[in-house]
Amino acid sequence: MQPERTRLAWRRTTLSATVVALLAGRQALHSGATPAALVAVALTAVAWLGFLAVAHRRVQRLGVARPEPLAPRGALTAALCTVAFAVFAVAMLF
């Protein structure tokens, strides 16, 4: 049961990251497409793609009864993408 719950948690987190990326694009279009906002949106899209890649690999590996633990590199990538979302959001506000 634990791998299934973890897989569902990764999917929910991926959905949240997708919403963040879409809201960043919406904010950039709504406030005017300034060069800084477009760069922030592009970087948000790159961070989203990075998080999506980590999440997809993790969900695939959770399909067995005893999955391997998340590699430190994957955990670091997911954490950096999450922090990047926050940094790019602040950059879009200023």
Side-chain angles (χ1 to χ4, degrees), residues 4-82:
E4 183 178 346
R5 288 193 302 266
T6 304
R7 185 174 43 244
L8 291 172
W10 273 101
R11 289 186 180 179
R12 283 191 306 270
T13 306
T14 303
L15 179 62
S16 298
T18 302
V19 169
V20 166
L22 290 174
L23 287 175
R26 180 179 176 254
Q27 178 65 24
L29 292 175
H30 182 66
S31 65
T34 63
L38 292 177
V39 168
V41 169
L43 292 174
T44 301
V46 169
W48 176 75
L49 287 172
F51 187 85
L52 187 65
V54 170
H56 178 71
R57 270 190 246 115
R58 188 63 189 153
V59 167
Q60 293 296 91
R61 291 187 178 154
L62 287 170
V64 297
R66 291 201 176 258
E68 297 176 17
L70 180 62
R73 182 178 172 187
L76 180 63
T77 302
L80 288 176
C81 289
T82 303

